[in-house]
Amino acid sequence: MEVDSSPLTAFPSTIDEASRWKQLEHIRHTPGPYTDPDAISPEAMAQFDNMKVLVIGAGGLGCEILKNLALSKFQDIHVIDMDTIDISNLNRQFLFRQSDVGKFKAEVAANFVMRRVRGVKITAHNCKIQDKDDDFYKQFQMVVCGLDSIEARRWINAKLVALAEEGDGPDSIKPMIDGGTEGFKGQARVIVPGITSCFECQLDMHAPRAAIPLCTLAAIPRQPEHCIEWAHIIAWDEEKPFPQLDKDDPEHITWLYQRALERASEFNIPGVTYSLTQGVVKNIIPAIASTNAIIAAACCNEAFKLATSAAPALGMEDNYMMYSGNDSIYTYTYSHERKDDCPVCNSGSRPLEVDQDMLLGDLVESFAVRPEAQLKKPSLRVQGKTLYMQSPASLEQQTRPNLDKTLRDLAIEEGQALVVTDPAFALEFNYFFKFKAA
């Protein structure tokens, strides 16, 4: 059968709108044993109809989430995604067609769903989440994330926690429903800023990617990934084709791909492709459509329960649902507790157990692989002294000699407070030094 890949300009109006919403309206108007008594009041019904939801990400998870929210009768949805559609997306991101390649994901996905589901309004934002100010995020009642980036999750988590802390009253609290998939595994969680554990509390569950030894990259690459990492870490640093690497810029990824291809040809290593280059550089984990559908359904279930109070949502007691489909279908729900030393939702300091004779440069590099930190460009300071600053360039040059000094040389004392910052996060990470016994 030949599949039509042309743009969908209209859909046949054969759907009975009353029938489409029949079961949904039955759930909303018929209280169950766990339904909030106020959920069926006229005020609650009107509140749901006026609810504004933000979806972050219009990829594999985002497409499913947009479709599910629209079919759950959410009528005012915004979606934000900076990416454009690639040919490799079409096998699982079902809102896109071949003719859409090169267009913005958010825009195409929004238009597709609006043409298919009457009454829903979806506003697309083709930009980074960091480009939006506080007023933008304050307009929403909840946020649903379908992201493949830990950094983006951490940023939006910190933003929503900050809004809750700075705001006045319950309207400043924006629940964040976060979904994620990795092959046949996935999870869905509900984060209520200031009440439940936040994403940063759970960061150590996302172990940083294992580093490939530099000697392997520089001398004996054996896999296409080694050639890509060589281009990413070594070639880029030596040649500096652009002032700063932007992993979302196709021109930058193309440069890395071409250099990796040359490296692979030199060592007769097949398998280097543009999509693999993009995946390695951005640490993209291959997605499976069925897993995306299951996790998106779980996320939208929680959104509907939060919006209508038709049933208890994941919250204080059970706020994290994990799914595994490797050998069978298995789910488990449990409570992930807040951490007293979380840098986002608590102000506690963490002990930093190190050797007093450790070089500052080694300490700086360690923050990239610490499960509770995972920082790419950390800057360090103690009271009254800046140890190392990544930027601006003048301060980096001024503090660079400290990298070759030990903590002892820098007169760091036991129990001294250390503040670590990273340009990717608008918050400080607080530690105190705890020296290992000699």
Side-chain angles (χ1 to χ4, degrees):
M1 179 184 295
E2 184 178 350
V3 178
D4 181 16
S5 62
S6 61
L8 297 175
T9 56
F11 290 94
S13 57
T14 57
I15 298 173
D16 182 352
E17 292 297 320
S19 298
R20 163 175 270 173
W21 309 116
K22 181 179 179 180
Q23 299 301 326
L24 188 73
E25 293 301 327
H26 178 74
I27 293 172
R28 291 185 62 197
H29 290 85
T30 308
Y34 300 106
T35 303
D36 187 319
D38 295 330
I40 58 173
S41 67
E43 294 79 9
M45 294 292 174
Q47 185 177 6
F48 174 76
D49 293 336
N50 296 322
M51 183 159 288
K52 187 178 289 189
V53 181
L54 173 64
V55 176
I56 302 180
L61 265 178
C63 285
E64 292 280 355
I65 289 170
L66 282 173
K67 176 259 295 181
N68 289 347
L69 289 178
L71 291 175
S72 298
K73 215 174 182 181
F74 285 91
Q75 297 178 8
D76 193 351
I77 305 170
H78 287 236
V79 58
I80 183 169
D81 195 308
M82 64 173 292
D83 286 344
T84 54
I85 300 165
D86 185 76
I87 189 71
S88 63
N89 302 146
L90 303 184
N91 70 331
R92 63 193 181 280
Q93 298 175 22
F94 64 96
L95 299 181
F96 310 139
R97 300 293 183 266
Q98 190 168 352
S99 59
D100 297 323
V101 170
K103 299 177 183 178
F104 283 106
K105 287 184 177 181
E107 197 170 306
V108 174
N111 289 333
F112 190 108
V113 176
M114 283 193 293
R115 290 196 302 268
R116 191 65 183 256
V117 182
R118 290 181 181 176
V120 64
K121 176 188 175 185
I122 304 180
T123 305
H125 304 274
N126 308 317
C127 60
K128 297 180 180 179
I129 55 175
Q130 294 86 348
D131 293 341
K132 297 296 186 180
D133 59 15
D134 288 357
D135 288 337
F136 174 79
Y137 292 106
K138 286 178 181 178
Q139 66 182 305
F140 302 105
Q141 280 72 56
M142 71 174 70
V143 176
V144 187
C145 295
L147 292 160
D148 60 2
S149 165
I150 299 295
E151 288 81 2
R153 284 186 175 100
R154 294 175 72 182
W155 189 91
I156 189 62
N157 171 74
K159 173 63 70 177
L160 296 179
V161 171
L163 291 179
E165 291 176 346
E166 296 166 4
D168 182 20
D171 290 343
S172 63
I173 299 175
K174 319 289 183 184
M176 170 179 160
I177 303 167
D178 176 57
T181 64
E182 181 178 345
F184 287 101
K185 297 180 180 179
Q187 88 283 326
R189 74 192 96 183
V190 174
I191 296 169
V192 183
I195 298 175
T196 69
S197 64
C198 73
F199 187 84
E200 202 76 21
C201 293
Q202 308 164 9
L203 185 62
D204 52 7
M205 297 178 65
H206 304 270
R209 181 173 53 173
I212 303 171
L214 280 175
C215 58
T216 299
L217 301 180
I220 48 172
R222 297 182 299 273
Q223 301 173 10
E225 290 82 0
H226 294 166
C227 300
I228 295 168
E229 287 285 21
W230 172 85
H232 178 203
I233 296 172
I234 298 176
W236 183 279
D237 188 58
E238 290 177 351
E239 301 182 32
K240 292 182 172 57
F242 302 93
Q244 189 173 2
L245 175 61
D246 184 350
K247 298 178 182 180
D248 295 305
D249 190 323
E251 189 177 2
H252 293 196
I253 298 296
T254 299
W255 188 93
L256 293 173
Y257 164 58
Q258 291 172 345
R259 297 295 283 117
L261 204 58
E262 294 170 7
R263 181 75 168 174
S265 177
E266 181 182 350
F267 288 89
N268 296 317
I269 299 173
V272 173
T273 64
Y274 180 89
S275 60
L276 180 63
T277 303
Q278 192 177 40
V280 170
V281 172
K282 297 179 68 175
N283 195 22
I284 296 174
I285 298 165
I288 295 173
S290 58
T291 309
N292 285 339
I294 291 169
I295 296 303
C299 289
C300 294
N301 247 356
E302 297 307 317
F304 184 79
K305 289 189 287 185
L306 283 171
T308 64
S309 299
L314 291 174
M316 284 294 292
E317 295 184 2
D318 293 319
N319 54 22
Y320 194 107
M321 186 279 286
M322 58 158 287
Y323 161 81
S324 177
N326 282 4
D327 302 314
S328 59
I329 295 177
Y330 172 76
T331 64
Y332 178 68
T333 305
Y334 66 97
S335 176
H336 195 290
E337 297 182 358
R338 298 180 70 179
K339 289 191 174 180
D340 294 335
D341 57 0
C342 175
V344 174
C345 64
N346 280 306
S347 57
S349 297
R350 302 183 183 198
L352 186 65
E353 190 172 355
V354 292
D355 193 308
Q356 198 171 8
D357 292 315
M358 182 183 197
L359 291 175
L360 180 65
D362 293 335
L363 178 62
V364 170
E365 291 183 1
S366 74
F367 283 101
V369 295
R370 288 181 180 273
E372 84 288 353
Q374 303 185 38
L375 305 177
K376 302 296 176 63
K377 288 191 172 184
S379 295
L380 283 64
R381 71 177 188 272
V382 294
Q383 186 175 5
K385 182 191 297 184
T386 297
L387 299 178
Y388 179 67
M389 291 292 289
Q390 297 269 6
S391 61
S394 58
L395 274 178
E396 195 282 328
Q397 188 175 6
Q398 185 179 342
T399 57
R400 190 185 306 166
N402 288 343
L403 296 176
D404 296 323
K405 297 179 181 179
T406 66
L407 300 180
R408 190 189 303 273
D409 295 335
L410 293 166
I412 301 299
E413 300 176 355
E414 175 87 9
Q416 190 169 6
L418 172 70
V419 177
V420 185
T421 58
D422 188 291
F425 307 102
L427 59 104
E428 296 179 342
F429 298 83
N430 298 301
Y431 292 88
F432 63 88
F433 285 103
K434 183 179 180 182
F435 294 136
K436 296 178 180 177

